[in-house]
Amino acid sequence: MGSSVRATLDGKTSDALERLVARLGWSRSEVIQAAIQQFEASRPTASRHRVIGTGRFKSGIPDLATNKQHIADLGR
């Protein structure tokens, strides 16, 4: 058994829901469930951001761009 959700829809969204119910012949619940599933499928999964392409330069310091100690006095 699923859970119940109560939502307040603005007029435009409520009208769209009713048009979908009439067009598809589905219940309001089925339309909302399908919309939520499609919305979730269209979003990328959360992932940690990683620095890509760091390397060594003439300085020989591999973490020059990512280590705050190296840029502490930069611009002073």
Side-chain angles (χ1 to χ4, degrees), residues 58-72:
K58 268 187 173 177
S59 68
I61 303 171
D63 62 346
L64 185 60
T66 57
N67 189 329
K68 291 183 180 183
Q69 292 176 341
H70 297 306
I71 58 173

Side-chain angles (χ1 to χ4, degrees), residues 3-46:
S3 63
S4 294
V5 176
R6 181 178 171 99
T8 303
L9 305 178
D10 60 22
K12 184 178 176 181
T13 305
S14 181
D15 292 344
L17 174 60
E18 294 309 321
R19 284 192 303 273
L20 285 167
V21 166
R23 187 181 326 147
L24 298 172
W26 297 357
S27 70
R28 296 172 97 206
S29 181
E30 289 172 320
V31 171
I32 293 168
Q33 288 174 21
I36 291 171
Q37 290 167 1
Q38 184 176 1
F39 183 77
E40 189 212 10
S42 70
R43 299 292 181 241
T45 57

